[in-house]
Amino acid sequence: MSTLSETLPVIDLDIFLSQHTQSIRVQEECNKAADALITYGALLVHDSRVSEEDNDTFLDLIEDYFAQPIEDLQKDERPEIHYQVGVTLENTEKPKCAVDEPCLDIIANLDPAERPLDVSGHHPDPKCRFFWKMGTPPPYETEFPALNAPNVVPQAPGISEKWEFHHGEMGTFHEECNIAEMTAIGLGLPREFIKDAGKYGPHLLGPTASDLVKYGQKDTILAGFHTDLNCLTIHGRSRYPGLNIWARNTGKRIPVRFPPTGRYLLVQAGKQIEHLTGGLIKAGFHEVVVNKATLQTIERRKESHPDRPNIRISSTFFWHLSSDYELAPIPKLSERANVFNSSQTANQHTSYERMKVGQQVQK
């Protein structure tokens, strides 16, 4: 792993959008996207359609929402449907890795200097989250109605009237990110293969919030070492650093750094694309922590924006495959995975049984 870059590959989506699919440059960029997900489980996307102004407006809205009193936030909880919509408050979600043997094995196989912050204390994450369901309702009766529950709109004046518009705007843009198509082409699949598999997916815009007044001490775990269960996770630029990823679940910890300015998104691989590719692409392990760079940003924000809440927001979008889609490894990609994984020690014997995507989510 020592030959890997310590920064993520940058994929130029503008090339894909402006040139014919058969062009050499488009094919090269698609190959680069697929290779980045195979090698790193993540990539950065340069996309001229990204609006820094829209991102700032959205971050402001989510900061204002999570700055409300706890009793107002509790009105938006829906524990009866496993928090699939509405708010999930701090200290609710526990990192699965704390009790998951294969995950603990991965941590044990890392060089001690490259391990995540210790999740073995079994403490729940201090982060909060709000799930806003996106996507097209299926034109058939789904077997998984709980994954398709109606959205929750907060009631606070100044927030409620903006909520649906800005969530729809941000979510629709992330939903239309073309990395699923580029990855499919780079893997040698039809362009629409992955996109079509997610046509009726219960996509979720899930902005995550961490109170840096309460939890702003160095080495605080905001989100413990974990992978995402969906297909692709898409992030806009956060105001505070602290996200670390592990390339191919082994080797070096890579702090995610967006270029200082410009129109970029971060894309991470989740468990559904791992299943679909038979492990050729692995869901990337990651954590969010308070580190030295986070602390420096906290101090800068206090000076530059003294009237704003001191809350770390991640504008996370979870792009899912359709709940009723039959999830099974693509044979030619499984064969590539077997070759690729033969030199890997961690997780090389994972089996991917056929199941509906909704069953995978429920598990």
Side-chain angles (χ1 to χ4, degrees):
M1 283 294 168
S2 58
T3 58
L4 288 180
S5 166
E6 296 202 2
T7 56
L8 291 173
V10 178
I11 309 304
D12 193 341
L13 196 56
D14 292 355
I15 292 173
F16 180 76
L17 295 173
S18 64
Q19 298 189 24
H20 195 275
T21 307
Q22 308 303 322
S23 79
I24 292 173
R25 286 197 71 198
V26 167
Q27 189 64 54
E28 286 174 347
E29 211 63 23
C30 292
N31 291 345
K32 187 177 168 186
D35 289 346
L37 290 180
I38 291 168
T39 305
Y40 294 86
L43 52 82
L44 288 168
V45 180
H46 175 260
D47 183 350
S48 292
R49 301 171 301 173
V50 172
S51 165
E52 292 287 312
E53 186 179 342
D54 287 350
N55 189 55
D56 281 338
T57 300
F58 185 75
L59 294 178
D60 284 347
L61 176 65
I62 305 303
E63 285 176 359
D64 290 341
Y65 173 77
F66 281 105
Q68 294 182 100
I70 189 78
E71 55 269 22
D72 290 336
L73 296 175
Q74 286 170 335
K75 296 172 185 174
D76 300 331
E77 285 185 296
R78 298 294 184 271
E80 68 277 9
I81 52 170
H82 312 290
Y83 303 97
Q84 283 297 308
V85 292
V87 77
T88 304
L89 294 178
E90 62 188 50
N91 300 319
T92 301
E93 295 184 4
K94 291 186 178 180
K96 180 188 170 191
C97 237
V99 293
D100 185 60
E101 287 298 330
C103 185
L104 292 172
D105 288 345
I106 286 170
I107 294 174
N109 284 325
L110 291 169
D111 184 285
E114 302 296 342
R115 287 175 187 165
L117 291 184
D118 189 8
V119 293
S120 62
H122 301 260
H123 302 297
D125 290 337
K127 71 176 188 293
C128 302
R129 198 194 294 283
F130 196 102
F131 272 160
W132 181 264
K133 184 168 58 66
M134 299 289 300
T136 306
Y140 47 79
E141 190 171 347
T142 176
E143 290 180 39
F144 307 96
L147 302 180
N148 296 272
N151 276 321
V152 176
V153 179
Q155 296 308 303
I159 292 176
S160 62
E161 58 270 28
K162 301 175 186 175
W163 196 259
E164 196 157 356
F165 173 77
H166 286 299
H167 276 68
E169 184 179 60
M170 181 66 70
T172 300
F173 177 74
H174 284 177
E175 188 178 343
E176 291 173 353
C177 177
N178 302 83
I179 286 298
E181 294 166 88
M182 294 184 74
T183 302
I185 292 170
L187 291 172
L189 302 171
R191 171 176 173 162
E192 305 290 333
F193 188 94
I194 299 173
K195 184 179 177 183
D196 283 351
K199 187 173 183 180
Y200 302 115
H203 314 309
L204 290 165
L205 181 57
T208 305
S210 301
D211 185 339
L212 294 174
V213 176
K214 289 171 71 174
Y215 302 109
Q217 297 76 38
K218 189 172 185 295
D219 292 339
T220 299
I221 301 172
L222 302 177
F225 191 70
H226 69 286
T227 58
D228 294 339
L229 63 79
N230 50 294
C231 185
L232 296 170
T233 303
I234 304 161
H235 305 260
R237 186 193 299 273
S238 177
R239 288 172 172 160
Y240 298 87
L243 173 62
N244 296 319
I245 70 159
W246 279 259
R248 197 74 191 174
N249 310 342
T250 57
K252 290 187 178 296
R253 179 198 303 112
I254 302 176
V256 173
R257 298 188 182 96
F258 276 64
T261 58
R263 303 166 183 269
Y264 293 90
L265 297 170
L266 167 69
V267 178
Q268 292 174 277
K271 281 291 183 183
Q272 290 169 7
I273 198 166
E274 176 177 328
H275 200 123
L276 198 64
T277 62
L280 179 61
I281 293 173
K282 290 273 194 179
F285 278 94
H286 52 285
E287 68 176 1
V288 182
V289 298
V290 177
N291 57 26
K292 184 179 177 182
T294 320
L295 296 176
Q296 291 170 343
T297 306
I298 290 171
E299 293 309 309
R300 282 200 302 271
R301 287 283 299 176
K302 283 179 182 175
E303 291 181 15
S304 62
H305 295 80
D307 300 327
R308 293 301 304 160
N310 204 213
I311 301 174
R312 185 191 190 278
I313 305 296
S314 171
S315 57
T316 312
F317 184 85
F318 299 101
W319 192 82
H320 280 259
L321 300 182
S322 305
S323 302
D324 299 272
Y325 181 78
E326 284 279 350
L327 191 58
I330 299 161
K332 68 176 182 180
L333 298 183
S334 287
E335 290 170 17
R336 280 183 64 187
N338 291 337
V339 173
F340 192 90
N341 290 334
S342 62
S343 61
Q344 303 276 322
T345 55
N347 258 14
Q348 71 184 75
H349 299 303
T350 306
S351 62
Y352 303 98
E353 58 184 286
R354 178 180 290 271
M355 67 179 75
K356 294 278 182 81
V357 169
Q359 293 172 301
Q360 177 256 349
V361 172
Q362 288 172 342
K363 280 189 171 188

